[in-house]
């Protein structure tokens, strides 16, 4: 369990050094609805907090997706003969092992490329996988996937591009389409794309998943303030913000916000001071919930076609297999 008590950043920088972070943050905090990108959740502590979220009783996506992968991967990997697995936003790669095991069973597993913005966490994941899969080449790539994939020059084909956890839901539609288009551009004719998507369901169940009773999601949300303190020298006080997560039934997404509990002025070197009023919020994440039509629209726009779509009947969640259109 990560250290939940820490409120001040005191760690070495470990995220991808992003020269545009200051400009992005300044623009986000100047907008009428203040907004910060969810990619800023994930320093080492943020990655550990997300890992803790995946084990919460209320957080259904991880275990539902895991069950789907266990049911489908052996058959899919035998069918595709995949030699390279490229994974976007790999995190701890816990579920990736299900794919890697299925690849290993075919005797074809050669290369695993986990891509993530959380550099230290990624290198720990890669080191563990090298120990667990001695015959497999593991080439981690540090990248902000909203900008680039940073793939190795040579990859044995056919390759499977995986994007699990419904992380696609954290991107607004235009950014999601740009990301899928980037994946499509990297695919060869025999390659496939595997994407986990959380589907629309009972709102109370979704809201419970983002408002857990142990307060881990709230801590994860506030961690973004520590990342800004660490990376930009900001003076944000996590105790001055409350976690809020509510479902928007029109946009079909849960939104996470940090709500100011008092008026405050935030100082970030290199930009104008930011006044935040009591009750005003910073939106830190959207998590879109899909149906088949909304996934098909994303795929169409990125010139991908849905080849298979296994879903979980009890907890609506889908695993989409896409091919070049
Ligand atoms: N795939 C894992 C982890 C999901 S959490 C799972 O299904 O459990 C989201 C992951 O994506 C985190 O590891 C985070 O560091 C990474 N991530 C988020 N935004 C990113 C971005 N813009 N570029 C690269 N990685 C990103
Ligand atoms: C990584 N991503 C898919 C998670 C989600 O459910 O949108 C992040 C998360 N936010 C709160 N809890 C989990």
């Amino acid at each position: 369990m990560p250290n939940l008590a820490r409120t001040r950043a005191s760690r070495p920088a470990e995220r991808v050094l992003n020269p545009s972070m200051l400009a992005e943050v300044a623009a986000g905090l100047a907008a009428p609805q203040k907004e910060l990108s969810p990619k800023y959740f994930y320093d080492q502590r943020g990655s550990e907090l997300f890992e803790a979220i995946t084990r919460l009783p209320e957080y259904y996506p991880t275990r539902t997706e895991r069950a789907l992968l266990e049911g489908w991967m052996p058959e899919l990997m035998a069918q595709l003969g995949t030699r390279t697995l490229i994974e976007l936003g790999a995190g701890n790669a816990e579920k990736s092992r299900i794919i890697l095991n299925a690849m290993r069973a075919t005797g074809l597993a050669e290369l695993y490329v986990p891509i993530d913005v959380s550099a230290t966490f990624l290198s720990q994941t890669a080191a563990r996988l090298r120990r667990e899969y001695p015959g497999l080449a593991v080439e981690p790539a540090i990248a902000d996937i909203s900008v680039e994939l940073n793939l190795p020059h040579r990859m044995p084909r056919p390759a499977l591009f995986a994007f699990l956890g419904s992380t696609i839901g954290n991107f607004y539609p235009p950014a999601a389409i740009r990301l899928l288009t980037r994946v499509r551009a990297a695919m060869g004719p025999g390659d496939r794309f595997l994407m986990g998507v959380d589907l629309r369901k009972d709102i109370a169940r979704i809201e419970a998943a983002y408002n857990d009773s142990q307060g881990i999601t709230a801590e994860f949300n506030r961690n973004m303030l520590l990342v800004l303190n660490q990376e930009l020298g900001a003076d944000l006080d996590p105790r001055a913000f409350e976690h809020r997560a509510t479902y928007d039934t029109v946009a079909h997404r849960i939104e996470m916000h940090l709500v100011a509990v008092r008026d405050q002025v935030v100082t970030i070197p290199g930009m104008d001071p930011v006044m935040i009023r009591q009750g005003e919020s910073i939106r830190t994440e959207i998590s879109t919930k899909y149906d088949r039509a909304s996934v098909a629209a994303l795929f169409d726009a990125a010139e991908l076609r849905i080849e298979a779509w296994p879903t979980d009947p009890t907890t609506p969640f889908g695993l989409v297999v896409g091919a070049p259109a």
Side-chain angles (χ1 to χ4, degrees), residues 38 41-42 50 53-54 56 59-61 89 164-170 198 209-212 217 220-221 243 245 254 256 285-289:
F41 284 134
Y42 300 97
F50 178 73
I53 287 173
T54 64
L56 291 168
Y59 194 75
Y60 60 83
L164 302 180
S166 202
T167 302
I168 189 71
N170 301 141
D198 194 12
Y210 293 81
N211 290 286
D212 67 276
T217 310
F220 174 71
N221 198 1
H243 165 75
I254 191 114
M256 294 217 306
E285 185 180 71
I286 60 161
S287 193
T288 308
K289 308 304 168 189

Side-chain angles (χ1 to χ4, degrees), residues 3-4 6 11 43-49 219 223 226:
N3 172 14
L4 303 183
R6 184 169 49 201
R11 307 142 287 172
D43 64 348
Q44 179 73 10
R45 181 170 181 265
S47 297
E48 287 167 8
L49 282 163
E219 209 53 40
N223 190 59
L226 301 182

Side-chain angles (χ1 to χ4, degrees), residues 65 69 73 76-77 80 82 84-91 93 95-100 103 112-116 145 149 151 159-168 179-180 183 187 191-196 319-322:
E65 187 178 50
L69 287 165
M73 283 311 107
L76 186 69
M77 290 304 99
L80 296 179
T82 301
T84 297
L85 173 63
I86 300 129
E87 186 176 7
L88 283 67
K95 285 166 290 166
S96 329
R97 287 164 171 81
I98 301 166
I99 309 176
L100 290 170
M103 283 166 65
Y112 175 49
V113 183
I115 308 173
D116 210 289
I145 56 172
L149 297 181
L151 295 173
L160 180 72
F161 290 77
F163 193 23
L164 302 180
S166 202
T167 302
I168 189 71
L179 178 48
L180 297 192
V183 171
M187 286 169 78
D191 296 345
R192 291 293 180 271
F193 178 49
L194 177 72
M195 184 170 81
L319 266 187
V320 193
V321 181

Side-chain angles (χ1 to χ4, degrees), residues 2 21 34 40 44 60 67 86 90 100 111 117 127 139 172 178-179 186 189 193 197 222 225 235-236 242 279 307 312:
M21 180 174 180
K34 293 183 170 36
Y40 298 129
Q44 179 73 10
Y60 60 83
I86 300 129
L100 290 170
L111 175 63
V117 76
E139 290 184 34
Y172 286 97
R178 282 197 298 275
L179 178 48
F193 178 49
V197 281
R222 286 194 196 93
L225 304 173
D235 63 354
L236 287 148
E242 268 170 7
E307 201 172 57
D312 184 305

Side-chain angles (χ1 to χ4, degrees), residues 10-23:
S10 59
R11 307 142 287 172
E14 64 213 352
R15 298 186 63 265
V16 178
L17 263 187
N18 181 355
S20 61
M21 180 174 180
L22 181 65

